[in-house]
């Protein structure tokens, strides 16, 4: 029986979202869990910032301190997420980000 994948939120140290995402992707590849942990997202948006009269486009995190993961939870996937440096806890999300 195949479990369905759901979206989860990993609570991370603020400012380390990209590093957690990169580390998690590396662990998923090395452990062969690509079919269990599907997508890893750090939601960002482009924002126009005006400083000293100059406009520039800046990428800002929509949810600082959080990384979204589409995965099937089992012992191995839980171990990979929980033991990724700078992660605090895993939370369940019902909707699509």
């Amino acid at each position: 029986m195949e479990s369905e994948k759901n979206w989860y939120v990993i609570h991370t140290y603020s400012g380390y979202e990209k590093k957690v995402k990169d580390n998690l992707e590396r662990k998923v590849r090395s452990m062969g869990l690509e079919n269990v942990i599907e997508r890893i997202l750090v939601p960002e948006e482009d924002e126009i910032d005006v400083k000293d009269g100059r406009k520039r486009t800046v990428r800002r995190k929509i949810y600082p301190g959080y990384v979204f993961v589409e995965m099937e939870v089992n012992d191995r996937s839980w171990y990979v997420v929980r033991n990724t440096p700078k992660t605090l806890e895993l939370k369940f999300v019902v909707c699509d980000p």
Side-chain angles (χ1 to χ4, degrees):
M1 184 178 136
E2 188 175 318
S3 293
E4 86 177 43
K5 293 175 178 66
N6 290 307
W7 282 98
Y8 297 86
V9 175
I10 301 171
H11 186 198
T12 68
Y13 289 107
S14 189
Y16 287 94
E17 301 88 356
K18 176 87 168 99
K19 191 156 191 77
V20 167
K21 179 182 185 263
D22 293 343
N23 286 336
L24 192 52
E25 287 173 341
R26 195 174 307 112
K27 280 185 162 185
V28 166
R29 279 193 305 275
S30 71
M31 293 186 73
L33 294 173
E34 293 92 346
N35 60 339
V36 178
I37 298 177
E38 207 56 37
R39 292 189 281 174
I40 304 167
L41 303 173
V42 177
E44 296 178 319
E45 64 184 354
D46 289 330
E47 199 173 275
I48 296 175
D49 192 18
V50 180
K51 189 173 184 178
D52 297 328
R54 293 185 180 181
K55 288 184 182 179
R56 62 185 180 124
T57 304
V58 178
R59 304 264 316 151
R60 298 223 193 269
K61 292 174 186 70
I62 298 173
Y63 303 107
Y66 295 96
V67 175
F68 290 77
V69 179
E70 183 182 24
M71 67 181 215
E72 169 190 329
V73 174
N74 59 36
D75 290 340
R76 290 185 70 199
S77 63
W78 172 252
Y79 175 83
V80 168
V81 170
R82 189 66 198 119
N83 290 298
T84 300
K86 307 296 184 194
T87 60
L88 299 173
E89 67 180 314
L90 182 68
K91 299 179 180 188
F92 181 71
V93 177
V94 180
C95 61
D96 219 5

